[in-house]
Amino acid sequence: MCQCLNSLVSSESLSQLFKMLSFPSSKSCPIAKPVPQHLRSSLLDSFCGSKSLSFNPQTGFNLRPKSLQIKAMEASLDYHFGTQLQTHIKTPTSLKIAIIGFGNVGQFLAKTFVSQGHTVLAHSRSDNSDTAAKLGVSFCSDPHDLCEEHPEVVMLCTSILSTKSELESIPFQRLRRSTLFVDVLSVKEFPRSLFLEILPEEFDILCTHPMFGPERGKKGWAGLPFMYDKVRIGNDDIRISRCGRFLDVFAREGCRMVEMSCADHDKYAAESQFITHTMGRILERFGFESSSINTKGGMKHC
């Protein structure tokens, strides 16, 4: 019988099956009732298009006609699993980024953030609301209002001298405890120390240095170096993914991504800046002037 039920069946076989399901008396099955002839014919018409009919001793008959097949993912999945799958599928790739210090550098970076589809908020001591509106950025004159928007990333684009005061003025209690803090200063040990000293331990820290500015990067960022140091990033998938998505902003623009410790960055930067400034002072002292026979290569090396 099981072999017959597990094989492909014809309408005649189904007719016999329904006869078996139509219990002749209530003693055989107190709950079941005979299947009326008109319903039996209707069911046969529905099941005739079905390709398979199986029987499981524990669960009974498994009848699935084509006319009753479930095609919606939400209806066919277990509720909990379906919810998890939908959440995974709808996980956004965009970020909500808050920029503290909306000057030239902040505005320069905001343009690319917006162009990639990220939501950008901004705050600065000066009223840059008009500029923000033109760039598609929401400007908040009060840092409390900005933090209540619960940005995923808070990026400091302040000057070196004002970094500490700006950081201390942020109402951390209005942010989510897992917020990622980023800086873009040209020195790295200084903001790293400030972040570790002032920020609550629950916050993530990413120190970065886009080694280009509005002038050098106005025609694109392809090939330009971007240094970063994951100072403190949580171990859970959400925090790791968020850090990766932020770094991907620069990778998508073609930046040369360089992972380096803050200490090594400052060491190499000090050496290169020493040479640059020393040679500049020497040339200035000797009074070298441009001439009509200068070459581009010669002036580049100078």
Side-chain angles (χ1 to χ4, degrees):
M1 177 180 175
C2 291
Q3 182 178 359
C4 175
L5 292 175
N6 283 316
S7 62
L8 297 178
V9 294
S10 63
S11 59
E12 290 80 5
S13 301
L14 286 169
S15 180
Q16 294 179 1
L17 173 64
F18 281 112
K19 289 181 180 179
M20 297 168 58
L21 293 175
S22 301
F23 298 97
S25 67
S26 59
K27 293 181 180 180
S28 302
C29 183
I31 300 176
K33 295 182 179 181
V35 179
Q37 182 62 38
H38 68 282
L39 291 179
R40 191 179 307 176
S41 301
S42 177
L43 288 170
L44 282 172
D45 292 339
S46 298
F47 281 106
C48 282
S50 179
K51 292 186 177 181
S52 64
L53 177 66
S54 60
F55 176 80
N56 187 308
Q58 296 180 348
T59 61
F61 295 102
N62 179 19
L63 306 175
R64 180 166 294 188
K66 285 185 177 180
S67 59
L68 298 178
Q69 285 179 352
I70 299 172
K71 295 183 178 180
M73 181 190 72
E74 294 86 348
S76 60
L77 293 175
D78 171 78
Y79 175 77
H80 180 66
F81 177 75
T83 302
Q84 286 185 328
L85 183 59
Q86 284 184 326
T87 302
H88 176 72
I89 292 175
K90 295 179 181 179
T91 298
T93 57
S94 61
L95 292 166
K96 183 183 287 188
I97 304 172
I99 299 177
I100 305 293
F102 200 57
N104 290 335
V105 175
Q107 295 169 20
F108 167 66
L109 295 175
K111 292 178 183 178
T112 298
F113 295 161
V114 173
S115 69
Q116 289 191 10
H118 300 286
T119 300
V120 182
L121 313 169
H123 166 73
S124 61
R125 294 177 179 176
S126 303
D127 183 5
N128 291 311
S129 55
D130 291 340
T131 303
K134 293 177 182 178
L135 296 176
V137 174
S138 299
F139 186 81
C140 301
S141 57
D142 191 326
H144 289 261
D145 294 335
L146 180 139
C147 292
E148 286 178 349
E149 292 294 327
H150 293 160
E152 298 168 84
V153 180
V154 175
M155 185 174 68
L156 270 70
C157 294
T158 58
S159 66
I160 295 176
L161 294 178
S162 63
T163 298
K164 183 176 182 180
S165 60
E166 290 286 355
L167 187 61
E168 290 177 334
S169 68
I170 298 174
F172 301 127
Q173 74 278 5
R174 299 191 183 278
L175 293 169
R176 289 178 177 169
R177 290 189 296 274
S178 62
T179 304
L180 171 63
F181 271 77
V182 182
D183 87 287
V184 293
L185 295 181
S186 58
V187 293
K188 296 271 62 74
E189 278 288 275
F190 172 68
R192 178 183 182 276
S193 299
L194 281 181
F195 279 168
L196 292 173
E197 175 187 349
I198 298 175
L199 290 178
E201 294 182 359
E202 296 84 2
F203 291 165
D204 288 348
I205 299 172
L206 177 67
C207 289
T208 75
H209 182 198
M211 303 184 74
F212 53 90
E215 185 61 30
R216 190 180 178 192
K218 63 182 179 181
K219 295 183 179 180
W221 301 357
L224 300 178
F226 179 87
M227 171 269 167
Y228 65 96
D229 183 7
K230 300 177 183 178
V231 178
R232 186 172 68 199
I233 305 297
N235 294 326
D236 60 273
D237 293 340
I238 294 178
R239 294 189 178 198
I240 294 172
S241 172
R242 179 183 57 195
C243 179
R245 282 184 286 149
F246 179 81
L247 293 174
D248 191 53
V249 171
F250 299 88
R252 286 177 58 186
E253 297 298 318
C255 290
R256 179 164 55 86
M257 308 298 288
V258 181
E259 185 169 11
M260 178 186 297
S261 70
C262 292
D264 285 343
H265 170 277
D266 286 358
K267 175 185 175 182
Y268 297 140
E271 292 173 353
S272 62
Q273 289 179 9
F274 171 78
I275 295 174
T276 301
H277 287 293
T278 300
M279 292 304 298
R281 293 297 178 88
I282 292 174
L283 293 173
E284 181 183 15
R285 181 166 183 176
F286 280 94
F288 287 109
E289 298 180 357
S290 178
S291 68
S292 59
I293 60 172
N294 286 342
T295 62
K296 291 184 178 179
M299 291 303 295
K300 179 179 179 180
H301 291 296
C302 288

